[in-house]
């Protein structure tokens, strides 16, 4: 079969990220993003194999105009041979347990999920509808952040609130970052020579958003995010877990509205809130090295809470074949990895300092001390996983 090319799209409310992947190359033929869409400063940035960055102003461009501007670049990069489009969709509710080909039924089901992800799914839908209009003859696939976690057992996904909120309103834990956890879980098995269908992993995806996941035999058994991506770990600007009574406390004592509290917990908290400086781990590490007290505290809280979450997920595992660090922080911060693992000595986890220092900037490898459980650094690649899912569905629909 000839080499096939897949365009991966990730549509936000004012942005459109894209990557063109080819079966013949390990790196994207073309990648980039359109941002500030529908505004006067809309811009398209892209880079190609040689990594030369280019940009074009697209004043006032919406998602459709941005995709249209992208078309000639895609055609030039893949010689006109585009075989499918894979779309990242944040929320698949309980309807989607895996990626699927997009048709009228899928579209209707994604629309039904909008109340669960009012910020993300409408933008994802916009991307799909725009791409369907521009490429009506091309197979298109939806890949859901939540789908991987649909294998969680009920005792892991239910909240301890009355059943009717689950039955009538879908209030349960869904989990996110599933495409990343699935990708690194599979890579961990490949790297260690274990079978993906017979191996047990803890995975920590640490980027701007952060989550942990227990992966047993290729399936998610529990994860730290819940109904929304706010639950769980400390993140860049998100608080992660707080006492649920914080809402009523702030409303009572400060007279705050739900919108104000939402904004506080999603956009002003996490590393940014604790440090008072930045949501970017690089900045915090620099300031910590200069002795900044709040930056130091932010990193300590981040690592302790991460260790606590990983330790809790031991309950979901029959055994541990290894813990995986991924995402911008997980792949690049020996400090965060070492501080986190230092809290887990009782569970036998110990970092090898030299190996830990070596695994940065896309270098993968084992960072555990000899004789201790595996600790792996594995760069994630959600775009590649979306392209692989798209190719698999193209194959199964052709057979
Ligand atoms: P992501 O969302 O996966 O792109 O990850 C973004 C996060 O990765 C930000 O908090 C960055 O500060 C962090 N990050 C990227 N490079 C480094 C680095 N060299 N050291 C520490 N954190 C990093």
């Amino acid at each position: 079969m000839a080499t096939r090319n897949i365009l991966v799209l990730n549509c936000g409310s004012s942005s459109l990220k894209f990557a063109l992947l080819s079966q013949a190359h390990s790196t994207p033929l073309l990648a980039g993003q359109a941002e500030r869409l529908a505004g006067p400063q809309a811009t398209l940035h892209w880079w190609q194999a040689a990594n030369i960055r280019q940009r074009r102003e697209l004043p006032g461009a919406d998602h459709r105009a941005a995709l249209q501007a992208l078309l000639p670049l895609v055609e030039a990069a893949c010689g006109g041979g585009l075989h499918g489009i894979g779309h990242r969709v944040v929320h698949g509710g309980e309807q989607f347990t895996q990626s699927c080909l997009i048709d009228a039924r899928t579209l209707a089901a994604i629309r039904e999920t909008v109340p669960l992800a009012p910020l993300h799914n409408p933008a994802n839908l916009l991307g799909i509808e725009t791409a369907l209009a521009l490429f009506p003859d091309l197979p298109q696939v939806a890949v859901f952040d939540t789908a991987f976690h649909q294998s969680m057992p009920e005792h892991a996904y239910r909240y301890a609130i009355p059943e009717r909120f689950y039955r009538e309103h879908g209030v349960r834990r869904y989990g996110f970052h599933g495409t990343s956890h699935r990708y690194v879980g599979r890579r961990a098995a490949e790297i260690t020579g274990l079978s993906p269908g017979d191996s047990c992993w803890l995975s920590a995806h640490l980027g701007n958003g952060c989550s942990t996941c227990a992966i047993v035999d290729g399936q998610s058994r529990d994860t730290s995010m819940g109904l929304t991506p706010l639950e769980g770990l400390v993140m860049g600007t998100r608080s992660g877990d707080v006492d649920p009574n914080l809402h009523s406390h702030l409303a009572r004592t400060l007279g705050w509205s739900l919108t104000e509290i939402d904004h506080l917990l999603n956009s002003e908290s996490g590393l940014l809130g604790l440090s008072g400086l930045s949501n970017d781990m690089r900045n915090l590490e620099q300031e910590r090295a200069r002795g900044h007290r709040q930056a130091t505290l932010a990193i300590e809280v981040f690592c302790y809470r991460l260790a606590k979450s990983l330790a809790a997920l031991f309950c979901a595992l029959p055994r541990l074949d290894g813990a995986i660090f991924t995402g911008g922080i997980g792949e690049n911060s020996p400090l965060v990895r070492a501080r986190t693992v230092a809290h887990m000595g009782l569970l036998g986890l110990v970092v090898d300092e030299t190996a830990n220092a070596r695994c940065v900037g896309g270098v993968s490898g084992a960072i555990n001390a000899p004789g201790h459980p595996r600790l792996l650094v594995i760069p994630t690649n959600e775009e590649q996983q979306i392209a692989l899912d798209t190719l698999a569905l193209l194959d199964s629909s052709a057979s």
Side-chain angles (χ1 to χ4, degrees):
M1 189 183 288
T3 298
R4 289 172 296 174
N5 302 311
I6 302 295
L7 179 63
V8 175
L9 294 179
N10 179 359
C11 218
S13 55
S14 64
S15 70
L16 172 69
K17 293 191 186 135
F18 56 88
L20 178 64
L21 287 101
S22 158
Q23 282 178 305
H25 297 88
S26 56
T27 51
L29 301 175
L30 172 78
Q33 64 176 319
E35 52 192 22
R36 302 184 191 189
L37 291 175
Q41 294 176 309
T43 314
L44 180 67
H45 302 261
W46 72 95
W47 51 94
Q48 280 169 288
N51 228 2
I52 302 164
R53 284 171 186 264
Q54 301 187 64
R55 59 179 279 159
R56 203 174 120 198
E57 311 297 328
L58 298 172
D62 58 7
H63 288 80
R64 186 183 172 88
L67 253 185
Q68 256 160 344
L70 186 57
L71 269 182
L73 300 176
V74 170
E75 274 169 14
C78 67
L82 187 60
H83 298 85
I85 300 183
H87 295 268
R88 178 191 178 208
V89 180
V90 168
H91 217 307
E94 285 191 331
Q95 274 122 314
F96 295 103
T97 57
Q98 55 191 10
S99 306
C100 65
L101 277 165
I102 296 174
D103 56 19
R105 217 163 43 91
T106 328
L107 270 177
I110 299 175
R111 263 187 219 109
E112 278 172 29
T113 319
V114 165
L116 290 171
L119 295 180
H120 294 103
N121 272 30
N124 300 154
L125 272 167
L126 180 63
I128 294 174
E129 282 159 355
T130 309
L132 284 172
L134 286 175
F135 304 92
D137 301 324
L138 217 51
Q140 307 205 21
V141 163
V143 180
F144 302 89
D145 272 20
T146 51
F148 183 55
H149 302 298
Q150 280 296 303
S151 48
M152 284 195 282
E154 192 166 11
H155 63 254
Y157 72 71
R158 287 289 299 278
Y159 289 114
I161 60 173
E163 168 123 359
R164 67 177 187 281
F165 292 94
Y166 168 53
R167 298 268 169 238
E168 294 166 25
H169 304 287
V171 176
R172 53 158 284 179
R173 306 182 64 248
Y174 290 94
F176 299 85
H177 291 145
T179 309
S180 175
H181 290 301
R182 181 159 58 104
Y183 177 83
V184 296
R186 188 176 52 78
R187 286 287 298 138
E190 278 170 13
I191 289 168
T192 54
L194 297 173
S195 156
D198 183 18
S199 53
C200 303
W201 309 100
L202 287 177
S203 146
H205 176 105
L206 311 173
N208 273 319
C210 301
S211 69
T212 51
C213 181
I215 305 170
V216 176
D217 302 342
Q219 295 192 327
S220 169
R221 287 293 160 81
D222 199 356
T223 188
S224 59
M225 283 178 168
L227 174 71
T228 76
L230 183 59
E231 187 175 329
L233 304 178
V234 173
M235 311 182 211
T237 61
R238 283 175 248 165
S239 62
D241 292 341
V242 291
D243 185 331
N245 267 333
L246 181 60
H247 286 74
S248 53
H249 177 77
L250 292 178
R252 221 176 28 248
T253 55
L254 302 178
W256 279 30
S257 68
L258 280 180
T259 311
E260 287 171 310
I261 299 169
D262 251 20
H263 190 260
L264 171 79
L265 297 180
N266 281 288
S267 308
E268 296 176 0
S269 297
L271 293 173
L272 174 65
L274 277 165
S275 69
L277 282 180
S278 169
N279 64 338
D280 192 310
M281 189 57 89
R282 281 166 293 203
N283 297 343
L284 297 185
E285 289 192 9
Q286 275 166 12
E287 292 306 316
R288 176 184 181 272
R290 294 193 188 113
H292 193 285
R293 189 187 65 81
Q294 288 153 293
T296 307
L297 176 69
I299 295 173
E300 289 308 305
V301 176
F302 181 93
C303 295
Y304 178 66
R305 291 268 298 271
L306 169 59
K308 225 163 74 157
S309 173
L310 288 168
L313 287 182
F314 269 74
C315 300
L317 298 178
R319 65 170 194 278
L320 180 69
D321 290 314
I324 307 162
F325 290 93
T326 194
I329 299 173
E331 293 165 29
N332 291 297
S333 176
L335 174 72
V336 165
R337 297 187 302 237
R339 296 297 305 147
T340 303
V341 173
H343 292 297
M344 304 178 77
L346 196 59
L347 295 166
L349 306 188
V350 181
V351 155
D352 177 282
E353 273 181 42
T354 312
N356 190 27
R358 195 173 50 232
C359 289
V360 291
V363 175
S364 58
I367 60 164
N368 55 286
H372 290 268
R374 268 189 209 98
L375 298 167
L376 301 171
V377 175
I378 302 182
T380 194
N381 195 336
E382 288 161 279
E383 291 79 15
Q384 190 176 26
Q385 187 63 61
I386 292 173
L388 288 171
D389 285 9
T390 306
L391 285 167
L393 281 160
L394 296 193
D395 289 341
S396 62
S397 68
S399 60

